[in-house]
């Protein structure tokens, strides 16, 4: 096990389309272990392989959040997301590759996911909502070379995390309160 170096915004590996994984071999399993250790060390909730300079379609995440049921540590490969409808919601995001900042990002509320579960080696399909769907969209964006600020529609809501102690921008409160009632423009 090893803690890997995390790439930061601007590094070419974060704007590259990641390659599909053909076979889950020992190298992939070892990479997954190191990604988990790196994510835990950095206190993230998700980490995609391009964030550790590996351009493969692979990510790890777990959920422990007030808004949804706990999801244990999960590693998936070759994920494909399809929105189930046009409903979006806004909430704060942060990213280990964009340290010190947070932004309010619109995401689809309801998604369909197909992927390979690394633990079982099996292909699966599932549907997810809200926070779970948000984390997956954030991580899968990394596999397509996209960082969350590129998904924002108001860069006035990109702030230094330290400054959130002074209170949230009023506009952010309004957007987040609108919750799931927004339709994608
Ligand atoms: Zn990220």
């Amino acid at each position: 096990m090893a803690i890997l170096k995390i790439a930061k915004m601007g590094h070419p590996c974060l704007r590259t389309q990641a390659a599909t994984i053909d076979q889950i071999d020992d190298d992939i399993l070892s990479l997954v272990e190191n990604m988990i250790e790196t994510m835990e060390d950095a206190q993230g909730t998700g980490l995609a392989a391009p964030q550790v300079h590996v351009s493969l379609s692979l990510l790890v995440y777990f959920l422990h959040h007030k808004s949804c049921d706990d999801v244990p540590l999960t590693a998936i490969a070759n994920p494909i997301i399809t929105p189930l409808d046009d409903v979006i919601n806004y909430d704060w995001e942060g990213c280990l590759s964009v340290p010190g900042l947070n932004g309010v990002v619109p995401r689809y509320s309801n998604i369909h996911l197909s992927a390979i579960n690394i633990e079982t080696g099996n292909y699966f399909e599932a549907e997810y909502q809200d926070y779970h769907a948000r984390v997956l969209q954030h991580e899968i964006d990394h596999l397509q070379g996209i960082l969350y600020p590129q998904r924002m529609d108001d860069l006035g809501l990109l702030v230094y995390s330290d400054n959130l102690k002074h209170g949230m921008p009023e506009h952010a409160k309004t957007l987040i309160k609108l919750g799931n009632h927004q339709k994608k423009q």
Side-chain angles (χ1 to χ4, degrees):
M1 299 264 278
I3 293 172
L4 306 171
K5 190 174 178 197
I6 297 176
K8 304 223 169 60
M9 181 165 62
H11 193 287
C13 66
L14 292 174
R15 50 176 186 262
T16 305
Q17 172 85 39
T20 301
I21 292 174
D22 297 326
Q23 196 180 354
I24 299 167
D25 54 19
D26 286 348
D27 286 347
I28 296 289
L29 294 176
S30 157
L31 173 61
V32 167
E33 275 190 26
N34 290 336
M35 283 171 61
I36 289 169
E37 191 174 0
T38 303
M39 177 180 73
E40 289 175 345
D41 176 67
Q43 298 184 307
T45 197
L47 189 70
Q51 291 183 274
V52 290
H53 308 82
V54 179
S55 195
L56 288 175
S57 184
L58 177 68
L59 63 90
V60 298
Y61 76 104
F62 73 96
L63 301 181
H64 180 64
H65 191 261
K66 58 185 185 310
S67 68
C68 68
D69 292 337
D70 284 358
V71 174
L73 200 51
T74 303
I76 61 175
N78 304 344
I80 295 174
I81 274 183
T82 315
L84 288 170
D85 52 37
D86 289 338
V87 179
I88 57 165
N89 66 86
Y90 286 82
D91 210 343
W92 290 98
E93 292 188 15
C95 180
L96 296 176
S97 295
V98 190
L101 295 173
N102 288 100
V104 176
V105 186
R107 297 287 187 187
Y108 289 105
S109 298
N110 305 296
I111 60 163
H112 174 274
L113 174 77
S114 65
I116 296 166
N117 182 307
I118 294 287
E119 198 178 6
T120 64
N122 293 332
Y123 173 85
F124 70 97
E125 297 186 49
E127 291 180 2
Y128 299 108
Q129 282 75 43
D130 301 327
Y131 184 69
H132 197 160
R134 171 174 296 278
V135 170
L136 285 167
Q137 286 169 90
H138 176 116
E139 298 306 331
I140 291 169
D141 267 356
H142 280 300
L143 308 179
Q144 293 165 351
I146 296 168
L147 297 175
Y148 79 78
Q150 294 166 260
R151 293 293 192 193
M152 293 178 65
D153 51 22
D154 181 355
L155 285 176
L157 299 179
L158 184 63
V159 303
Y160 284 106
S161 317
D162 282 355
N163 281 332
L164 285 173
K165 65 175 181 268
H166 301 301
M168 204 185 285
E170 285 304 319
H171 184 42
K173 285 186 204 166
T174 308
L175 281 173
I176 292 167
K177 203 158 58 181
L178 283 170
N180 295 331
H181 305 299
Q182 287 258 94
K183 292 273 185 186
K184 185 111 181 142
Q185 302 290 315

